[in-house]
Amino acid sequence: TDILSIQKFELLRKGFIELGFEIIRDQNITSNTLLSIESTKARNLNYTDGMNENLFLNFFSNQLYKNMIYGKDESHIIVLKKI
């Protein structure tokens, strides 16, 4: 799995094929990734430990998370087979 821009995923797919790989599975799991992040955020912000709170608040404010929300980046599971 990885989180990349849509354009980078396209380049990655082409590169795998050029290197002799067959793409067995390519599943966009962005919505599940975002649900998991939100669930983790909700659980961890209930702690009184300021360190946990800062860790998760920093993640939610970072550009990668925002790019997934706005559809610029995606999270995919890619399974390859060498041909």
Side-chain angles (χ1 to χ4, degrees):
T1 63
D2 208 342
I3 300 172
L4 297 170
S5 71
I6 295 169
Q7 296 82 9
K8 286 184 182 178
F9 268 120
E10 288 301 318
L11 290 173
L12 189 66
R13 286 183 196 95
K14 289 177 185 176
F16 286 143
I17 292 168
E18 289 173 4
L19 290 171
F21 288 94
E22 178 183 354
I23 299 174
I24 303 296
R25 178 181 177 194
D26 183 356
Q27 182 179 355
N28 183 334
I29 59 167
T30 304
S31 61
N32 289 341
T33 302
L34 289 171
L35 285 172
S36 177
I37 291 168
E38 290 296 332
S39 174
T40 300
K41 175 184 174 184
R43 278 194 313 271
N44 284 288
L45 289 182
N46 289 330
Y47 292 114
T48 57
D49 180 356
M51 184 174 169
N52 278 338
E53 183 175 337
N54 289 334
L55 175 69
F56 286 95
L57 288 176
N58 286 338
F59 180 80
F60 295 110
S61 66
N62 81 24
Q63 197 61 47
L64 180 63
Y65 176 75
K66 289 177 183 177
N67 285 349
M68 283 194 295
I69 292 286
Y70 298 126
K72 295 178 182 178
D73 290 346
E74 295 180 336
S75 178
H76 282 250
I77 295 174
I78 298 177
V79 178
L80 305 170
K81 177 182 176 184
K82 183 70 174 167
I83 302 176

